Amino acid sequence: MLDDAADEAVEEEPIKQRKNGLYPGVSDELAESMKSGWADTELRGLEPIAQAEYTAARRAALSARFPGDRLVVPAGNLKTRSNDTEYPFRASVEYAYLTGNLTEDGVLVMEPTSDGHKATIYLLPRSDRENGEFWLSGQGELWVGRRHSLTEAEQLYGIPASDVRELAAALKEATGPVRVVRGFDAGVEAALTDKVTAERDEELRVFLSEARLVKDEFEAAELQKAVDSTVRGFEDVVKILDKAEATSERYIEGTFFLRARVEGNDIGYGSICAAGPHACTLHWVRNDGPVRSGDLLLLDAGVETHTLYTADVTRTLPIDGTYTEIQKKIYDAVYEAQEAGIAAVQPGAKYRDFHDAAQRVLAEKVVEWGLVEGPVERVLELGLQRRWTLHGTGHMLGMDVHDCAAARTETYVEGTLEPGMCLTVEPGLYFQADDQTVPEEYRGIGVRIEDDILVTRDGNRNLSEGLPRRSDEVEAWMAALKD
């Protein structure tokens, strides 16, 4: 990374130089030269972003829920990775959901009016060319790229835009009840420190989480887009398994990441590329182990779209293309459990029905195999099957891989499925390499099958049906890709 300009330029203050930078300062002549000779690059006549009408409806619902309250929803700030480098920025889900804007330092403020709220999006304007910020600041446009002007932002997002650098002072002067989404912008929270309460802010966070339980048409389409790219990413992995055998799980991770970056914004979460016994570690993201013929590969990965909706799909694949007898036995049991779980995803069903249906099948299998003493009802009541399955059978999916996490238990886990909800169904069986309660042939085998299921008016739709699930279909699919 280049290091020959000052990190920071602050109006009305001397330009701060980077320690050990190669230029000791800026001459008056250079500073004057940099002020002029630049073409007008303002973008005019911009069309609103695709989700603008949906974000407007979401803000209207938020306004109706909290009449008379000033609502403050920050995007968040850059976070330092090391020294003067930052992590890639990802806007807070609450902010992105309500605005469609994804840039750092943005803040949505909804000020109460007599008939609802007036929304304003506070953003950093274009870099100032008069004071040199655009080339002297580490976040200036010549260093990190052009950002939209406030006028451009208004056209894109359908919200009046103002300079975010003026917001803290305005918030300090605010009167009346205020709620803020916490944890993303320390400066905003400091400006509101004497105006908010944890309880009121949590009510705002919970409402925004529950608002995302039912997806609108735009969101459902984005989730399908994420899944379609993920399917292609899984195909990419199958095609390079020989190269992964020559290197490590990292090759698999990198291969899928390439698809995510080419077709989407990023991966939606750390890819689990677990070969052999690593498949028994539920969140194996080190991805530094060997890939061996004869073992299984548990690949749990998802592409995130440019609008931050993520897929979450898992397949457990035979690295050499064919399941062994014991691998197939365990895989088929998980497949049967998943089939039961998917069938239970219906509008009007209890949310937990799919989990209960899948767990019953797994409990039946471990009793049938003699791993635990029945009857099945006793196993389920005591949760004995969890020694080998551990996790719940799924979760809500959306802009977060574990979406709507702040929703109330009565509206989520104890709630009822509605059309537009999207959830994963992902049963698994994991036999640890050191588990002496199971036959030796089981040890080190982990299997999970996961699909993204959209609740529809008449049942459900498997968004990830493009990836084979049945063991014989998986083998045929892999063989065809390798031909």
Side-chain angles (χ1 to χ4, degrees):
M1 179 175 287
L2 300 174
D3 70 349
D4 292 338
D7 280 327
E8 202 175 327
V10 180
E11 289 184 278
E12 309 302 332
E13 293 183 7
I15 296 168
K16 295 180 180 179
Q17 298 293 316
R18 172 180 282 148
K19 186 177 182 180
N20 295 318
L22 294 179
Y23 287 110
V26 176
S27 68
D28 292 341
E29 290 79 5
L30 176 59
E32 194 61 31
S33 170
M34 293 297 285
K35 292 180 181 179
S36 60
W38 306 101
D40 177 10
T41 60
E42 180 75 7
L43 303 176
R44 297 173 175 84
L46 295 175
E47 294 294 324
I49 59 172
Q51 66 267 45
E53 63 179 287
Y54 297 96
T55 57
R58 297 166 194 168
R59 293 192 301 274
L62 176 62
S63 175
R65 172 61 180 83
F66 297 106
D69 290 2
R70 180 176 277 100
L71 308 172
V72 183
V73 185
N77 316 122
L78 289 171
K79 296 188 186 311
T80 299
R81 180 179 184 272
S82 178
N83 189 25
D84 58 354
T85 61
E86 292 85 22
Y87 288 104
F89 179 74
R90 189 182 191 275
S92 76
V93 165
E94 293 84 356
Y95 175 84
Y97 178 74
L98 293 168
T99 67
N101 177 260
L102 304 177
T103 56
E104 66 268 20
D105 301 325
V107 184
L108 172 69
V109 177
M110 296 180 62
E111 297 183 21
T113 64
S114 58
D115 58 352
H117 286 81
K118 175 189 175 184
T120 303
I121 189 171
Y122 287 84
L123 302 167
L124 281 172
R126 292 286 306 278
S127 291
D128 192 328
R129 303 212 170 197
E130 185 63 28
N131 70 0
E133 181 241 345
F134 80 109
W135 71 286
L136 291 170
S137 167
Q139 294 301 317
E141 291 183 6
L142 291 193
W143 291 91
V144 298
R146 184 188 190 278
R147 53 183 177 253
H148 287 296
S149 71
L150 298 182
T151 301
E152 291 168 355
E154 290 182 354
Q155 297 174 59
L156 289 169
Y157 306 112
I159 313 171
S162 293
D163 190 336
V164 72
R165 293 172 297 189
E166 301 169 358
L167 179 59
L171 291 178
K172 288 179 181 178
E173 300 300 320
T175 59
V178 183
R179 298 176 190 261
V180 64
V181 174
R182 299 190 180 201
F184 295 101
D185 193 317
V188 166
E189 291 181 38
L192 295 172
T193 186
D194 60 341
K195 307 177 192 299
V196 295
T197 67
E199 181 180 5
R200 290 168 53 79
D201 292 347
E202 181 63 11
E203 288 174 351
L204 172 60
R205 177 171 173 260
V206 168
F207 173 82
L208 290 173
S209 195
E210 293 182 359
R212 301 199 310 277
L213 283 168
V214 175
K215 272 60 181 179
D216 56 38
E217 293 177 350
F218 176 84
E219 293 178 291
E222 287 298 294
L223 285 166
Q224 185 66 71
K225 187 187 299 182
V227 169
D228 291 345
S229 289
T230 299
V231 168
R232 290 187 283 273
F234 274 67
E235 293 172 347
D236 295 339
V237 167
V238 170
K239 293 175 182 178
I240 56 83
L241 282 177
D242 57 335
K243 294 182 175 63
E245 287 189 57
T247 52
S248 75
E249 296 162 340
R250 291 279 172 90
Y251 206 99
I252 294 167
E253 179 182 7
T255 298
F256 187 85
F257 180 70
L258 176 61
R259 178 67 65 173
R261 286 294 283 165
V262 168
E263 294 193 2
N265 176 58
D266 207 329
I267 51 174
Y269 54 95
S271 298
I272 299 170
C273 307
H278 288 162
C280 299
T281 301
L282 300 184
H283 287 168
W284 176 261
V285 292
R286 299 179 200 171
N287 299 335
D288 59 0
V291 179
R292 299 187 179 100
S293 181
D295 282 347
L296 296 175
L297 167 68
L298 190 157
L299 178 59
D300 183 338
V303 172
E304 177 185 82
T305 67
H306 292 291
T307 56
L308 306 188
Y309 289 86
T310 185
D312 181 8
V313 178
T314 306
R315 290 294 184 268
T316 305
L317 311 173
I319 291 168
D320 61 9
T322 304
Y323 295 101
T324 66
E325 183 177 348
I326 185 63
Q327 289 170 351
K328 186 176 186 299
K329 173 183 175 180
I330 296 169
Y331 184 96
D332 288 350
V334 174
Y335 173 78
E336 186 178 332
Q338 194 201 28
E339 282 283 272
I342 292 174
V345 177
Q346 301 286 334
K350 293 180 179 179
Y351 171 80
R352 62 169 57 251
D353 284 354
F354 79 97
H355 168 73
D356 293 342
Q359 289 298 304
R360 176 169 291 277
V361 174
L362 296 180
E364 290 170 351
K365 295 299 180 181
V366 297
V367 170
E368 175 188 329
W369 297 341
L371 304 184
V372 65
E373 183 180 347
V376 170
E377 294 299 336
R378 167 183 170 271
V379 173
L380 289 169
E381 181 181 355
L382 300 176
L384 301 181
Q385 82 284 2
R386 291 188 62 192
R387 179 182 177 100
W388 304 288
T389 188
L390 279 174
H391 56 79
T393 311
H395 51 80
M396 291 294 183
L397 183 68
M399 299 180 84
D400 280 327
V401 65
H402 297 140
D403 207 28
C404 313
R408 293 167 295 171
T409 300
E410 57 265 33
T411 62
Y412 189 156
V413 174
E414 302 299 339
T416 300
L417 293 179
E418 301 177 37
M421 290 182 170
C422 188
L423 59 146
T424 67
V425 179
E426 50 175 314
L429 284 172
Y430 314 91
F431 298 102
Q432 304 298 326
D434 60 350
D435 188 349
Q436 296 184 343
T437 71
V438 301
E440 187 174 356
E441 63 178 351
Y442 287 56
R443 298 174 195 168
I445 294 177
V447 173
R448 180 165 64 253
I449 311 171
E450 178 181 19
D451 286 87
D452 301 341
I453 310 298
L454 181 69
V455 183
T456 61
R457 293 189 181 279
D458 56 358
N460 68 64
R461 176 159 59 95
N462 185 347
L463 301 180
S464 43
E465 63 183 358
L467 278 178
R469 292 187 294 124
R470 210 173 64 202
S471 57
D472 60 333
E473 293 175 342
V474 169
E475 291 175 340
W477 169 70
M478 293 182 69
L481 287 171
K482 291 183 177 181
D483 285 345

